[in-house]
Amino acid sequence: MSVDVQPSHIDQIKQTNVGLIYRLIDQHGPISRIALSKKAQLAPASITKITRELIDAHLVKETEFPDLGFRGRPAIGLKVESERWQFLCIRINKSTITIALRELKDNLVVEEEIPFLMTQSQLFLNCLADKMDDFFFRHQSVIERLTAISIIINAPVDPINGIIRNLTYCSNMQDIPLKEFLHHRTGLPIFLQHSITAWTIAEFLYGAGKNCQNLIQLVIDDNVAAGVITAGQILHAGQHGVVEIGHTQIDPEGEPCYCGNIGCLETVVSIKNILAKTRYLAERCLDTLTYAIVSNKSLTIDSLCQSVIDGDSLAIEIIHDTGEHIGRIMALMVNIFNPEKILIGSPLNGVKHILYPAMQQQIAQRSLPGYSQQIDIVATQFDNTGTLPAAALIKQSLYNGELLIALMQG
């Protein structure tokens, strides 16, 4: 009995294989075709065909390199050709945007932060396009072969269709067709993702989560959320990608949350609420360093962390309690996802000697021993600023073949 193979399946296989070959060349190049065939577990004929197409598209090039253990002429290997291939990275914030021009090898060419605030969807899109045009005009002398645009934003998004679902801090704008609008204006592939998801991808590709196939990244800042990598893939990548643990109820009699629920994790461990708790407790503990900070109106998360470092008992207790609250939720996630690492992205990393053990203790008590004993809790390598997370979207699209296919087709 014959089995019909749909063209879409063939295209998907080709995209996957092209992405795999490119990733191996990028990570191990210069690499011979024989070594490439072994690592990719693809037939030599397939390697030859795919690498020829990548060379013809000027995405890969041949180069001589010494073959250790052998005499005579150097071997011919393959490496990524990144010169003159560039892409645009954009981070949209509440009142600013950061625009950067980067090369395919992640080298930063130029980056600017620009004031930006609009209150209507159409004005938002047109203003964004104008800011991009101004950026291109100012830096036209260094712009060469632009390949794609990646955009990250701290808002719910539909990455597949390139739609910003809503912007609550901009007159509650909804369903902004960013990808369609910018692709129509530029003709370039457009990639859109939530900033935390992009940050997790960056840590996975070249940060604290590199070479780790299963990890959880927890973000503790003004908001509390998580990104999850499982079997080398971002969880819910085609939807919003962010795991909303911040809106898990931990205190049924706690404070109201803006999401409409009561006692969410975010009402307890977000930076804003940690500082509010600190003010409340410090006013009842007059003989502490923390009280002195509060009374001088100089309380910030940095000054609170410094109080911990200086040994203030109240500050230590607050951070320890925060770690226990987080650890209880993380224990559930450990049982579900069985990660190798938990990455923490937070200003609280400055007091990780208190925070992490409190988390680890709760995880050990509340999750399966086989899952919790080998977990490393480590700080993220990057912070959630700048355009490196947006650059990670481009790298991901090269490794999964999506952008490669577009570039190979011209």
Side-chain angles (χ1 to χ4, degrees), residues 200 203 208-209 212 214-220 225-229 245 326-335 337-345 349 355-356 359-360 362-364 367 371-372 374-381:
T200 303
E203 294 289 344
C212 183
N214 300 281
L215 63 87
I216 298 171
Q217 177 176 325
L218 176 65
V219 176
I220 313 163
V228 176
I229 299 280
I245 63 168
I326 295 166
R328 292 180 191 121
I329 297 297
M330 294 309 296
L332 297 175
M333 296 188 69
V334 165
N335 274 346
F337 297 110
N338 190 18
E340 303 157 54
K341 282 186 180 181
I342 296 175
L343 311 184
I344 307 296
N349 280 333
L355 183 72
Y356 291 8
M359 291 175 56
Q360 189 83 60
Q362 291 298 314
I363 293 170
S367 61
Y371 283 15
S372 62
Q374 303 302 320
I375 293 177
D376 288 330
I377 302 178
V378 299
T380 55
Q381 183 170 329

Side-chain angles (χ1 to χ4, degrees), residues 207-283:
K210 189 175 181 181
N211 301 321
C212 183
Q213 292 298 297
N214 300 281
L215 63 87
I216 298 171
Q217 177 176 325
L218 176 65
V219 176
I220 313 163
D221 211 315
D222 293 337
N223 301 108
V224 179
V228 176
I229 299 280
T230 178
Q233 300 295 321
I234 191 78
L235 186 67
H236 304 317
Q239 300 171 18
H240 48 76
V242 177
V243 179
E244 285 289 358
I245 63 168
H247 298 288
T248 302
Q249 188 184 70
I250 63 168
D251 184 1
E253 298 179 357
E255 297 293 324
C257 182
Y258 63 86
C259 73
N261 291 328
I262 300 292
C264 290
L265 180 66
E266 196 166 291
T267 66
V268 178
V269 303
S270 69
I271 297 303
K272 175 179 131 179
N273 287 287
I274 290 173
L275 294 178
K277 177 181 178 181
T278 300
R279 290 188 191 95
Y280 176 82
L281 293 177
E283 289 171 356

Side-chain angles (χ1 to χ4, degrees), residues 159-192:
I160 298 298
N161 297 301
I163 296 171
I164 301 174
R165 284 303 180 195
N166 65 70
L167 277 178
T168 55
Y169 54 78
C170 288
S171 300
N172 204 25
M173 289 187 289
Q174 296 185 349
D175 295 333
I176 304 171
L178 189 63
K179 179 177 179 178
E180 178 184 0
F181 177 83
L182 290 181
H183 180 70
H184 179 74
R185 280 190 64 119
T186 65
L188 296 172
I190 309 295
F191 300 94
L192 172 68

Side-chain angles (χ1 to χ4, degrees), residues 32-61:
S32 70
R33 288 174 173 81
I34 294 174
L36 197 56
S37 177
K38 291 178 180 177
K39 286 184 178 294
Q41 296 185 336
L42 292 174
S46 297
I47 297 295
T48 299
K49 183 176 185 299
I50 291 172
T51 55
R52 184 187 301 119
E53 291 176 345
L54 289 170
I55 290 171
D56 290 344
H58 302 287
L59 291 161
V60 165
K61 63 182 179 182

Side-chain angles (χ1 to χ4, degrees), residues 302-316:
D302 289 338
S303 62
L304 175 61
C305 290
Q306 188 58 52
S307 289
V308 173
I309 294 169
D310 292 340
D312 182 67
S313 59
L314 176 59
I316 292 172

